[in-house]
Amino acid sequence: MNGRRRFSVDLKYIPALSAIILFFAAYAIGGILYGDRGFLTTRTFATLFTDNAYLGVSAVGMTLVIISGGIDLSVGSVAALTTMMLAYFTEVLHWNSALMLCVVLLTGALLGFLMGLLIDVFDVPPFISTLIGMFLARGLCFIISIQSITINDPLLRSLGKWRIKLPTAARAAAYINLSVFTFIAILIAGIVIMQFTRFGRGIYAFGGGRASAKLMGLPTRRIQVGIYAFNGFCSAVAGILFSFYTFSGYGRHLYGMEMDVISSVVIGGTLLTGGVGYPIGSLFGIMIYSVILKFISFNGSLSSWWTKIAVGVLLLFFIVMQRVTVVLANRKKRIQKQEAR
Amino acid sequence: MTEPNGIPRDEIILEAKGIEKIFPGVHALNKVDFTLKRGEIHSLMGENGAGKSTLIKCLTGVYGTDGGVIKFNGREIHPESPLHAMSIGISSVYQEVNLCPNISVAENIFAGRQPMKGPFVDWKTLEERAGKALERFDVNVDVRRSLDSYPIAIQQMVAIARALDISAQVLILDEPTSSLDKQEVAKLFDIVRKLRGEGMGIIFITHFLDQVYQISDRITVLRNGELVGTYKTGELPKIGLVTKMVGKDFDDLANVSRVRNESPHDVMIALEEVSAYQSVENVSLELRRGEVLGFAGLLGSGRTEVANLMFGIEHNNSGVIKLKGSAVRLASPKDAILRRIAFCPEDRKRDGVIGELSVRENIILAFQARLGIFRFKSLRQQYELADKYIKLLGIATPDADKKVSDLSGGNQQKVILARWLATEPEVMLLDEPTRGIDVGAKAEIMKLTLDLCRDGMAIAFISSELDEIVRISNRVVVMRDRAKIGEIDEDEGLDQENILKAIAGGMAV
């Protein structure tokens, strides 16, 4: 047998681990500061998920994209387009809403697929390709309608309102809704894909070295196009969840969502340079984001724009930490090399 | 050298006949024949541009051929991609480890071919099989850890393990030893010999002559895209190999000859037992005012590295670099420029000229670097400077505003020279200044070099063309395997013969 698993943490786990630690630290601090006002209740904990599940779904897809060394700026626009299509086709054109759910999911995946093709076949950098996708999807929203359309469809309404009560001792009842279940399902799918499928393992290899992956004979085209198609699908799911939250379709929905998603993924320990990252880390990235929002609302006197500042500071911290771990890893390698001499 | 073993020796496994490869303007391979037998290690030798890599790329399907036949086990094959070649049974391991550093050792061996259990990767089997594959090479590592947590030598073994897992019969090792130290090389060779014993045909490419003689059974030499010949290692002395690799160039430079200087010269730069990490080892030399110091040696012998050290691109971790007698630390090229050292790099296109800029802008670059970015030269002064050097060096350009990429190679080289002359240097390091330019331009560049030398500049002249080195150098430093192995003075029989002897000789076999 080969060497035993040693008790030492591989440097690549550190960013994701620190995200987890940071989440619990932030949660504990919230408990100390606002515990008397119900920060630690199950209800508050549940809302960490319910309020931002759509971001979480998008973050899972984005994690795959960033691990592959790419970026996807189109997620907010594609999600907005999803809300718009769903609202317009069910409310104005009276299409079947179950059918429309399938249509928007396919549309999201198709848009992602096309962006993936653009990236792989024509060698257009992801930043540009998805910027094109972002403008296209946002533009399409307003071609469909420049107004906000309220969703009254009974199926969509009931799906959006469906929730189950969590057993809790406190007086305040805690609920989780369909968004949370969807998020968990997508998260599990993300974990399984990345950990246990050739496609997922190929994404890691691709992110670690594109040229190498090609020389190793990996199906890089299928991998790259697949990643963006999957992320397009996730954007559509996020859009559906968001429309369950607001019961409306509007071209101005979710402006700048891509930035919240990307920053959560990075805070969750995925290296922007690609090759390293875990969907579970992104879960904690989203949770940290949610906890910051909770801090602001519990404080009551802070402007909600402090969220952006806090996220900015955290991003700075995590980016610096990523650089430091890379430098440390290199130093370790050099020392090993010298010892070998 | 060759070890006897029970495998039938003369069974040909891979045969290439009359391989042709033409790139626009270059006949990269001209009817090259090559045969590889089962259970042999066959070295492929030749200088840069000889066609080694092109041949390998044709054999592994990176390039298509423009003529000729490739046979594998007697059957004609047409490899379309490295992957296709692999599936036929021809695997290659490149100099740069082409694996993914971020994923585990086990995954690197099996990426794309992971054993599956239903729809999912079977990690347990994967890791077990990876462990076994490496055990074959006596490599015991935790295959779960990421590849980049191991030294290059281990990574190389992993690359070979990956190549072999696909039931390879031919293994191509392209410069596998260039980043390994002695023990690691010894270990690699043990493995290669073991594979030979198992009947594999191995093509070995290296620029380390010692290693060729250590391990190979036969040697094929290419030069300028043509086959020079295939020889049994035992029947080809080293000097013969070097001569065949370098060849003789035609004598078009008859009227260029070195500057004779009688007076003793001040030492400008002295290296005292300088070593640099993964670069050169223990090099001592002196570069004096008013002389041309030639650097001879095969590619990768450490010539360029020495120049890099003197220009602050690489840094020594032991020994002393002295400038005019006092020790200096050249932290960056800028330090070197401020101390009046100039450097024309080897790869003109990559490191030298900026093709999109005009002749004037290219000439002014280094000068501006010396001034600092806040002290402008007026446009008029810039033109004066540019025109001066265009005239002085005879750069063939209609005016100073011509884009450099529109000039010929020789003229581009002159622009780089002009750039450095504008900084009024006292030391000029020229790395392959005559590469890729026509003979007339070569002679001009060399004459310019001699003129500068006459004016009292200290010049280091690095070239693969022995003829040129012999012609203009007052002394020649001979490099091999990243170390200085000798120095030949103009009074001590400085000729090609002696340099070749120095490169080949003194190699303990």
Side-chain angles (χ1 to χ4, degrees), chain B residues 238-491:
Chain B
K238 276 177 194 167
I239 180 115
L241 174 60
V242 175
T243 314
K244 285 184 197 322
M245 284 168 65
V246 175
K248 294 260 183 231
D249 265 321
F250 295 104
D251 204 38
D252 288 306
L253 309 161
N255 52 356
V256 177
S257 67
R258 64 182 78 114
V259 177
R260 287 263 167 195
N261 267 314
E262 287 81 29
S263 53
H265 317 293
D266 334 334
V267 174
M268 291 299 298
I269 297 187
L271 303 191
E272 293 176 4
E273 293 179 358
V274 167
S275 298
Y277 176 66
Q278 284 204 346
S279 174
V280 290
E281 268 174 50
N282 213 11
V283 172
S284 302
L285 55 87
E286 287 179 344
L287 178 57
R288 301 189 193 120
R289 195 187 287 281
E291 74 161 5
V292 176
L293 181 63
F295 283 79
L298 297 175
L299 190 83
S301 56
R303 303 172 314 198
T304 297
E305 285 79 358
V306 172
N308 285 348
L309 277 166
M310 292 194 274
F311 196 59
I313 298 171
E314 288 183 38
H315 309 292
N316 54 321
N317 39 18
S318 68
V320 187
I321 299 178
K322 282 184 175 171
L323 191 73
K324 294 185 198 165
S326 53
V328 289
R329 213 185 88 78
L330 299 169
S332 68
K334 191 164 178 234
D335 276 6
I337 294 171
L338 290 175
R339 295 189 160 96
R340 300 191 172 249
I341 301 170
F343 179 45
C344 295
E346 183 178 1
D347 191 334
R348 185 169 60 234
K349 289 211 175 70
R350 201 189 65 202
D351 304 327
V353 296
I354 301 170
E356 287 304 305
L357 296 185
S358 73
V359 173
R360 168 183 58 86
E361 286 162 324
N362 265 291
I363 290 179
I364 217 77
L365 270 179
F367 185 62
Q368 193 67 60
R370 198 164 70 94
L371 285 181
I373 56 166
F374 294 115
R375 284 159 59 197
F376 298 111
K377 277 263 161 191
S378 76
L379 209 55
R380 197 173 51 81
Q381 283 171 308
Q382 291 187 23
Y383 275 113
E384 273 172 15
L385 198 73
D387 288 336
K388 178 177 146 198
Y389 285 105
I390 288 173
K391 218 167 121 195
L392 197 70
L393 304 187
I395 299 173
T397 172
D399 56 60
D401 290 322
K402 188 92 177 152
K403 252 175 35 180
V404 165
S405 54
D406 294 340
L407 303 184
S408 72
N411 281 304
Q412 291 188 5
Q413 195 66 45
K414 284 185 193 168
V415 170
I416 301 183
L417 267 175
R419 173 193 297 166
W420 292 110
L421 291 178
T423 66
E424 291 161 2
E426 295 176 315
V427 177
M428 181 74 101
L429 312 172
L430 303 173
D431 194 357
E432 299 279 6
T434 58
R435 174 175 295 169
I437 61 181
D438 61 59
V439 178
K442 278 184 189 184
E444 272 188 73
I445 295 281
M446 288 166 70
K447 276 182 203 150
L448 275 170
T449 309
L450 292 170
D451 287 345
L452 297 174
C453 174
R454 248 178 237 113
D455 294 344
M457 208 179 278
I459 293 169
F461 189 88
I462 302 172
S463 178
S464 302
E465 313 277 338
L466 286 186
D467 179 54
E468 293 177 8
I469 290 196
V470 168
R471 232 164 242 292
I472 71 171
S473 308
N474 300 93
R475 280 183 304 136
V476 172
V477 169
V478 183
M479 306 280 302
R480 197 187 66 215
D481 296 353
R482 296 170 183 155
K484 175 178 162 182
I485 52 162
E487 197 172 303
I488 307 172
D489 203 273
E490 56 185 325
D491 304 322

Side-chain angles (χ1 to χ4, degrees), chain A residues 196 198 201 204 216 275 336, chain B residues 100 102 107 114 121 149 162:
Chain A
F196 296 105
R198 281 189 182 166
R201 303 316 296 173
Y204 279 111
M216 287 165 89
Q336 276 177 347
Chain B
C100 294
N102 60 320
E107 273 205 278
Q114 292 99 333
V121 173
S149 50
R162 179 179 171 81

Side-chain angles (χ1 to χ4, degrees), chain A residues 55-76:
Chain A
L55 282 182
V57 167
S58 184
V60 172
M62 188 67 83
T63 309
L64 269 63
V65 172
I66 296 181
I67 291 174
S68 82
I71 196 86
D72 191 342
L73 301 178
S74 72
V75 293

Side-chain angles (χ1 to χ4, degrees), chain B residues 46-300:
Chain B
E47 278 286 77
N48 215 21
K52 290 173 299 185
S53 320
T54 314
L55 179 61
I56 292 306
K57 284 179 176 163
C58 287
L59 292 178
T60 55
V62 178
Y63 299 149
T65 54
D66 294 322
V69 184
I70 303 170
K71 281 185 182 169
F72 183 77
N73 281 331
R75 208 162 38 85
E76 193 173 332
I77 56 164
H78 301 276
E80 283 153 15
S81 66
L83 198 64
H84 183 215
M86 256 178 180
S87 68
I88 295 172
I90 305 171
S91 285
S92 28
V93 173
Y94 302 93
Q95 168 182 16
E96 303 295 328
V97 178
N98 274 308
L99 297 175
C100 294
N102 60 320
I103 59 179
S104 74
V105 169
E107 273 205 278
N108 266 298
I109 299 178
F110 291 105
R113 305 177 271 114
Q114 292 99 333
M116 305 296 271
K117 203 186 251 171
F120 301 125
V121 173
D122 182 356
W123 284 105
K124 197 162 159 276
T125 315
L126 176 87
E127 282 159 9
E128 269 175 27
R129 279 177 52 189
K132 279 199 190 111
L134 286 174
E135 244 167 58
R136 194 171 160 197
F137 305 151
D138 303 320
V139 173
N140 267 303
V141 296
D142 184 349
V143 295
R144 295 184 200 92
R145 289 184 78 86
S146 60
L147 186 75
D148 62 0
S149 50
Y150 294 106
I152 299 285
I154 300 279
Q155 298 188 18
Q156 198 99 53
M157 307 290 177
V158 174
I160 295 174
R162 179 179 171 81
L164 292 184
D165 186 71
I166 326 168
S167 61
Q169 297 183 53
V170 172
L171 180 63
I172 299 170
L173 299 169
D174 189 356
E175 300 272 11
T177 56
S178 48
S179 41
L180 305 187
D181 64 31
K182 276 196 185 105
Q183 286 154 18
E184 292 166 341
V185 169
K187 181 138 195 188
L188 177 75
F189 282 4
D190 283 346
I191 291 169
V192 172
R193 287 196 188 101
K194 200 167 160 185
L195 294 173
R196 169 174 67 184
E198 291 169 13
M200 189 172 285
I202 293 151
I203 303 175
F204 182 59
I205 299 174
T206 186
H207 52 255
F208 295 109
L209 290 183
D210 287 357
Q211 294 180 358
V212 170
Y213 280 87
Q214 250 176 54
I215 197 158
S216 54
D217 303 310
R218 288 197 300 163
I219 301 172
T220 289
V221 181
L222 298 180
R223 191 174 66 232
N224 294 330
E226 295 188 16
L227 177 70
V228 176
T230 298
Y231 313 90
K232 285 205 168 124
T233 306
E235 294 166 7
L236 182 68
K238 276 177 194 167
I239 180 115
L241 174 60
V242 175
T243 314
K244 285 184 197 322
M245 284 168 65
V246 175
K248 294 260 183 231
D249 265 321
F250 295 104
D251 204 38
D252 288 306
L253 309 161
N255 52 356
V256 177
S257 67
R258 64 182 78 114
V259 177
R260 287 263 167 195
N261 267 314
E262 287 81 29
S263 53
H265 317 293
D266 334 334
V267 174
M268 291 299 298
I269 297 187
L271 303 191
E272 293 176 4
E273 293 179 358
V274 167
S275 298
Y277 176 66
Q278 284 204 346
S279 174
V280 290
E281 268 174 50
N282 213 11
V283 172
S284 302
L285 55 87
E286 287 179 344
L287 178 57
R288 301 189 193 120
R289 195 187 287 281
E291 74 161 5
V292 176
L293 181 63
F295 283 79
L298 297 175
L299 190 83

Side-chain angles (χ1 to χ4, degrees), chain A residues 60-131:
Chain A
V60 172
M62 188 67 83
T63 309
L64 269 63
V65 172
I66 296 181
I67 291 174
S68 82
I71 196 86
D72 191 342
L73 301 178
S74 72
V75 293
S77 301
V78 173
L81 178 64
T82 305
T83 68
M84 180 49 103
M85 282 177 69
L86 206 53
Y88 186 81
F89 281 81
T90 54
E91 299 305 321
V92 181
L93 302 180
H94 302 291
W95 284 31
N96 180 300
S97 52
L99 172 75
M100 270 321 291
L101 285 177
C102 300
V103 171
V104 292
L105 288 175
L106 281 177
T107 309
L110 178 72
L111 280 171
F113 176 80
L114 292 176
M115 286 185 277
L117 274 188
L118 191 60
I119 293 165
D120 199 276
V121 181
F122 298 101
D123 222 7
V124 180
F127 190 93
I128 300 300
S129 314
T130 59
L131 193 65

